[in-house]
Amino acid sequence: GAVVSQHPSRVICKSGTSVKIECRSLDFQATTMFWYRQFPKQSLMLMATSNEGSKATYEQGVEKDKFLINHASLTLSTLTVTSAHPEDSSFYICSARATDEKLFFGSGTQLSVL
Amino acid sequence: GQNIDQPTEMTATEGAIVQINCTYQTSGFNGLFWYQQHAGEAPTFLSYNVLDGLEEKGRFSSFLSRSKGYSYLLLKELQMKDSASYLCAVYTGTASKLTFGTGTRLQVTL
């Protein structure tokens, strides 16, 4: 089946620093990628929809200047958490949509901001 | 707005059958997914329903009724490894945005 690679799997950073998370579709081209955030014991909350070559569409309440998304190619999207704070600590997951409309998820990134 | 409801927690016995329900009220509908998620891991795909009816895949089956805004995931011959969260997600809108329900934590006991 389709594979989506996401890294790093875990990152610990100091408050005020920026963190970049990469999401790659390894064996298919993904014109659309989605970024989700998940707090403990809660479901996935969509943060933004990323289309290759265009600006990302952010969900209500998600700060686009804080969560920078770049989708420069059909196989790569990045999420940069700028000036991270402890409340940004969460599990971030990307997903890529294949041509048959199925979504495949990356393995997730656990971000801990000290 | 989008509203997708699932029971928060369920418990079932190893070897038994369990049905996890999902009701949705969304603006637009392009399909419904079920995912399994173990703690600390990414969700894994279980099923995708677009048309009404039952889709069977091994021990797992998923049912959809679009007119009722209702779906269920049926797990047969439960195994301990089936203890996980089960997420119902609906594709909506022209952008095919995937909105997740709250998830159901299933605990399988001996």
PDB file of all heavy atoms in Angstrom, chain A residues 4-16:
ATOM      1  N   VAL A   4       3.442   6.932   3.578  1.00  0.00           N
ATOM      2  CA  VAL A   4       3.713   8.336   3.874  1.00  0.00           C
ATOM      3  C   VAL A   4       4.744   8.377   4.992  1.00  0.00           C
ATOM      4  O   VAL A   4       4.535   7.802   6.058  1.00  0.00           O
ATOM      5  CB  VAL A   4       2.428   9.072   4.299  1.00  0.00           C
ATOM      6  CG1 VAL A   4       2.756  10.500   4.707  1.00  0.00           C
ATOM      7  CG2 VAL A   4       1.421   9.056   3.165  1.00  0.00           C
ATOM      8  N   SER A   5       5.836   9.033   4.718  1.00  0.00           N
ATOM      9  CA  SER A   5       6.912   9.133   5.691  1.00  0.00           C
ATOM     10  C   SER A   5       6.855  10.489   6.386  1.00  0.00           C
ATOM     11  O   SER A   5       6.790  11.529   5.714  1.00  0.00           O
ATOM     12  CB  SER A   5       8.259   8.967   4.976  1.00  0.00           C
ATOM     13  OG  SER A   5       9.339   9.234   5.859  1.00  0.00           O
ATOM     14  N   GLN A   6       6.887  10.484   7.693  1.00  0.00           N
ATOM     15  CA  GLN A   6       6.852  11.737   8.456  1.00  0.00           C
ATOM     16  C   GLN A   6       7.998  11.719   9.458  1.00  0.00           C
ATOM     17  O   GLN A   6       8.204  10.743  10.167  1.00  0.00           O
ATOM     18  CB  GLN A   6       5.519  11.874   9.198  1.00  0.00           C
ATOM     19  CG  GLN A   6       5.394  13.170   9.999  1.00  0.00           C
ATOM     20  CD  GLN A   6       4.044  13.329  10.663  1.00  0.00           C
ATOM     21  OE1 GLN A   6       3.084  12.635  10.341  1.00  0.00           O
ATOM     22  NE2 GLN A   6       3.948  14.238  11.611  1.00  0.00           N
ATOM     23  N   HIS A   7       8.726  12.800   9.505  1.00  0.00           N
ATOM     24  CA  HIS A   7       9.784  12.896  10.507  1.00  0.00           C
ATOM     25  C   HIS A   7      10.078  14.337  10.865  1.00  0.00           C
ATOM     26  O   HIS A   7       9.764  15.251  10.092  1.00  0.00           O
ATOM     27  CB  HIS A   7      11.056  12.176  10.028  1.00  0.00           C
ATOM     28  CG  HIS A   7      11.732  12.825   8.870  1.00  0.00           C
ATOM     29  ND1 HIS A   7      12.697  13.795   9.019  1.00  0.00           N
ATOM     30  CD2 HIS A   7      11.578  12.644   7.551  1.00  0.00           C
ATOM     31  CE1 HIS A   7      13.117  14.164   7.824  1.00  0.00           C
ATOM     32  NE2 HIS A   7      12.450  13.480   6.914  1.00  0.00           N
ATOM     33  N   PRO A   8      10.569  14.582  12.073  1.00  0.00           N
ATOM     34  CA  PRO A   8      10.984  13.569  13.032  1.00  0.00           C
ATOM     35  C   PRO A   8       9.788  12.923  13.730  1.00  0.00           C
ATOM     36  O   PRO A   8       8.692  13.454  13.682  1.00  0.00           O
ATOM     37  CB  PRO A   8      11.832  14.363  14.026  1.00  0.00           C
ATOM     38  CG  PRO A   8      11.224  15.725  14.000  1.00  0.00           C
ATOM     39  CD  PRO A   8      10.819  15.953  12.564  1.00  0.00           C
ATOM     40  N   SER A   9       9.995  11.783  14.357  1.00  0.00           N
ATOM     41  CA  SER A   9       8.910  11.141  15.079  1.00  0.00           C
ATOM     42  C   SER A   9       8.718  11.767  16.452  1.00  0.00           C
ATOM     43  O   SER A   9       7.630  11.708  17.024  1.00  0.00           O
ATOM     44  CB  SER A   9       9.196   9.642  15.222  1.00  0.00           C
ATOM     45  OG  SER A   9      10.424   9.446  15.905  1.00  0.00           O
ATOM     46  N   ARG A  10       9.805  12.330  16.965  1.00  0.00           N
ATOM     47  CA  ARG A  10       9.717  12.957  18.288  1.00  0.00           C
ATOM     48  C   ARG A  10      10.702  14.115  18.327  1.00  0.00           C
ATOM     49  O   ARG A  10      11.832  13.997  17.844  1.00  0.00           O
ATOM     50  CB  ARG A  10      10.056  11.931  19.368  1.00  0.00           C
ATOM     51  CG  ARG A  10       9.903  12.423  20.780  1.00  0.00           C
ATOM     52  CD  ARG A  10      10.239  11.294  21.767  1.00  0.00           C
ATOM     53  NE  ARG A  10       9.256  10.212  21.669  1.00  0.00           N
ATOM     54  CZ  ARG A  10       8.107  10.195  22.332  1.00  0.00           C
ATOM     55  NH1 ARG A  10       7.790  11.194  23.134  1.00  0.00           N
ATOM     56  NH2 ARG A  10       7.291   9.183  22.203  1.00  0.00           N
ATOM     57  N   VAL A  11      10.279  15.219  18.863  1.00  0.00           N
ATOM     58  CA  VAL A  11      11.175  16.364  18.995  1.00  0.00           C
ATOM     59  C   VAL A  11      10.871  17.109  20.292  1.00  0.00           C
ATOM     60  O   VAL A  11       9.700  17.299  20.646  1.00  0.00           O
ATOM     61  CB  VAL A  11      11.072  17.306  17.765  1.00  0.00           C
ATOM     62  CG1 VAL A  11       9.649  17.810  17.580  1.00  0.00           C
ATOM     63  CG2 VAL A  11      12.037  18.461  17.860  1.00  0.00           C
ATOM     64  N   ILE A  12      11.940  17.472  20.963  1.00  0.00           N
ATOM     65  CA  ILE A  12      11.847  18.280  22.178  1.00  0.00           C
ATOM     66  C   ILE A  12      12.583  19.577  21.909  1.00  0.00           C
ATOM     67  O   ILE A  12      13.729  19.560  21.449  1.00  0.00           O
ATOM     68  CB  ILE A  12      12.474  17.547  23.380  1.00  0.00           C
ATOM     69  CG1 ILE A  12      11.770  16.208  23.609  1.00  0.00           C
ATOM     70  CG2 ILE A  12      12.388  18.410  24.634  1.00  0.00           C
ATOM     71  CD1 ILE A  12      12.445  15.334  24.650  1.00  0.00           C
ATOM     72  N   CYS A  13      11.933  20.692  22.163  1.00  0.00           N
ATOM     73  CA  CYS A  13      12.586  21.972  21.880  1.00  0.00           C
ATOM     74  C   CYS A  13      12.311  22.968  22.997  1.00  0.00           C
ATOM     75  O   CYS A  13      11.409  22.767  23.827  1.00  0.00           O
ATOM     76  CB  CYS A  13      12.109  22.534  20.539  1.00  0.00           C
ATOM     77  SG  CYS A  13      10.390  23.066  20.543  1.00  0.00           S
ATOM     78  N   LYS A  14      13.090  24.014  22.994  1.00  0.00           N
ATOM     79  CA  LYS A  14      12.926  25.071  23.990  1.00  0.00           C
ATOM     80  C   LYS A  14      11.860  26.049  23.519  1.00  0.00           C
ATOM     81  O   LYS A  14      11.664  26.265  22.308  1.00  0.00           O
ATOM     82  CB  LYS A  14      14.236  25.808  24.219  1.00  0.00           C
ATOM     83  CG  LYS A  14      15.319  24.978  24.883  1.00  0.00           C
ATOM     84  CD  LYS A  14      16.572  25.820  25.116  1.00  0.00           C
ATOM     85  CE  LYS A  14      17.655  25.012  25.815  1.00  0.00           C
ATOM     86  NZ  LYS A  14      18.890  25.823  26.034  1.00  0.00           N
ATOM     87  N   SER A  15      11.196  26.650  24.458  1.00  0.00           N
ATOM     88  CA  SER A  15      10.184  27.642  24.138  1.00  0.00           C
ATOM     89  C   SER A  15      10.800  28.786  23.343  1.00  0.00           C
ATOM     90  O   SER A  15      11.897  29.256  23.649  1.00  0.00           O
ATOM     91  CB  SER A  15       9.577  28.171  25.434  1.00  0.00           C
ATOM     92  OG  SER A  15       8.530  29.067  25.177  1.00  0.00           O
ATOM     93  N   GLY A  16      10.126  29.204  22.268  1.00  0.00           N
ATOM     94  CA  GLY A  16      10.617  30.293  21.434  1.00  0.00           C
ATOM     95  C   GLY A  16      11.339  29.856  20.180  1.00  0.00           C
ATOM     96  O   GLY A  16      11.570  30.662  19.281  1.00  0.00           O
TER      97      GLY A  16
END
